């Protein structure tokens, strides 16, 4: 199952664990047994340092997970607003077959355009339904949202819907760009560099100095103990690094393709 399979960060994580095992073995093999006495407080200091790093890593993970979860909620909202828009237009405006097809195409294209926009530069003619379109907008999702608004505005100008109904539809139309803007905020707002640098320096320094502080007390047990500590501390940090930008291609990122397919199938079913 997905809970017993290796995590997507397994390759980098096992490398860190292997490095910890090798390094602690070297420390155990060459640590001084005489002449240089180990201070009595060194083991307590090492444990205190590990506890502090654990708290910092936990805070880092929470911040990263909050970003991932907010992205999940935003794309869930996009699915709901897309369905509601199609349902309201179908029932309140009674569109013909051509209008239904155009609405389904634009709603689906907005989700696909947003997915690709969050992952890198995008041109309108790179989308399947717009290969022959001459328009070259800088921001493709907003261009498609504008076409959706124009479609709904045409229903109003042809007296297919009244002003109150137009306001109802406008709520869902505005929500599309609200979702887009919130996703861009997550993508374009990295965590503070100073905080990340301080945390990673602490992890590396703790990895380097902890074996020297504990080897005299733990002796050969320092090897599995350091490996386990690295597995969890470095594993949590690598996971946080993977999920803090939830719109990419990593195994821990959101499955945006699945959301786009859900919207495609829902709009096709509603507007059939």
């Amino acid at each position: 199952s997905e809970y017993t399979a290796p995590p997507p960060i397994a390759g980098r994580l096992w490398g860190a664990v292997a490095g910890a095992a090798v390094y602690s073995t070297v420390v155990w093999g060459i640590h001084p047994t005489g002449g240089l006495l180990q201070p009595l407080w060194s083991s307590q200091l090492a444990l205190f340092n590990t506890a502090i790093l654990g708290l910092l890593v936990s805070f880092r993970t929470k911040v990263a997970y909050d970003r991932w979860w907010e992205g999940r909620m935003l794309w869930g909202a996009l699915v709901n607003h897309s369905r509601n828009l199609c349902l309201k237009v179908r029932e309140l405006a009674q569109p013909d077959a051509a209008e239904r097809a155009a609405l389904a195409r634009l709603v689906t294209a907005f989700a696909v355009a947003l997915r690709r926009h969050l992952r890198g530069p995008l041109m309108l003619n790179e989308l399947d339904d717009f290969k022959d379109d001459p328009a070259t907008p800088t921001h493709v999702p907003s261009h498609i949202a504008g076409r959706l608004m124009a479609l709904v505005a045409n229903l109003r100008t042809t007296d297919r819907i009244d002003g109150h109904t137009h306001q109802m539809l406008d709520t869902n139309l505005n929500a599309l760009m609200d979702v887009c803007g919130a996703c861009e905020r997550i993508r374009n707002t990295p965590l503070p560099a100073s905080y990340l640098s301080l945390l990673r320096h602490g992890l590396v320094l703790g990895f380097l100095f902890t074996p020297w502080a504990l080897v005299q007390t733990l002796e050969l047990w320092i090897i599995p103990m350091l490996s386990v500590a690295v597995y969890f501390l470095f594993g949590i940090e690598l996971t946080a690094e993977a999920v803090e930008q939830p719109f990419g291609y990593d195994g821990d990122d959101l499955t945006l393709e699945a959301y786009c397919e859900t919207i495609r199938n829902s709009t096709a079913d509603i507007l059939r």
Side-chain angles (χ1 to χ4, degrees):
S1 70
E2 59 179 320
Y3 299 107
T4 57
I9 60 167
R12 299 169 64 190
L13 181 55
W14 290 127
V17 172
V22 171
Y23 180 69
S24 55
T25 301
V26 172
V27 172
W28 173 78
I30 66 174
H31 82 281
T33 56
L36 180 62
L37 296 178
Q38 180 177 335
L40 296 176
W41 46 261
S42 61
S43 58
Q44 288 85 353
L45 180 62
L47 293 175
F48 179 76
N49 179 66
T50 302
I52 294 298
L53 287 176
L55 290 175
L56 290 175
V57 170
S58 297
F59 176 76
R60 157 99 160 103
T61 304
K62 182 183 183 305
V63 173
Y65 179 77
D66 286 345
R67 292 161 61 92
W68 184 93
W69 184 249
E70 184 181 1
R72 167 67 183 87
M73 297 296 289
L74 288 169
W75 274 84
L78 181 62
V79 172
N80 292 337
H81 285 296
S82 299
R83 288 169 172 166
N84 287 331
L85 176 63
C86 293
L87 285 167
K88 290 176 182 178
V89 171
R90 185 191 70 183
E91 298 301 326
L92 300 175
Q94 298 296 313
D96 58 29
E99 290 169 332
R100 290 185 181 220
L103 179 61
R105 180 174 70 101
L106 289 172
V107 171
T108 301
F110 179 85
V112 175
L114 178 58
R115 182 194 79 205
R116 297 187 58 178
H117 169 71
L118 293 173
R119 292 175 172 176
L122 171 66
M123 299 294 292
L124 181 64
N125 58 15
E126 294 176 6
L127 300 177
D128 291 339
D129 292 330
F130 297 86
K131 290 187 180 297
D132 299 323
D133 197 305
T136 57
T138 303
H139 194 280
V140 177
S142 63
H143 177 80
I144 296 175
R147 291 194 178 187
L148 274 168
M149 291 180 179
L151 187 152
V152 173
N154 182 65
L155 297 176
R156 177 72 178 97
T157 56
T158 56
D159 293 327
R160 310 272 292 286
I161 58 175
D162 58 22
H164 178 66
T165 303
H166 192 187
Q167 286 183 330
M168 292 174 58
L169 298 176
D170 199 49
T171 300
N172 299 114
L173 290 170
N174 290 336
L176 300 183
M177 287 309 299
D178 289 342
V179 169
C180 177
C183 289
E184 289 175 334
R185 172 176 50 78
I186 294 174
R187 182 196 62 179
N188 298 330
T189 309
L191 295 180
S194 296
Y195 173 76
L196 294 180
S197 177
L198 182 64
L199 173 60
R200 289 168 181 172
H201 288 166
L203 285 173
V204 172
L205 291 175
F207 165 78
L208 292 175
F209 290 115
T210 296
W212 296 100
L214 296 179
V215 66
Q216 210 163 5
T217 302
L218 299 177
E219 296 186 348
L220 194 58
W221 282 101
I222 189 61
I223 300 172
M225 293 296 290
L226 183 65
S227 298
V228 170
V230 165
Y231 177 83
F232 285 106
L233 289 177
F234 278 72
I236 293 173
E237 164 59 20
L238 291 174
T239 301
E241 180 183 319
V243 303
E244 69 183 359
Q245 289 292 351
F247 306 125
Y249 297 97
D250 294 335
D252 287 314
D253 289 335
L254 295 170
T255 54
L256 302 187
E257 291 80 4
Y259 295 114
C260 291
E261 192 61 26
T262 298
I263 292 174
R264 183 189 305 276
N265 294 335
S266 296
T267 56
D269 182 60
I270 293 170
L271 298 169
R272 183 174 301 153

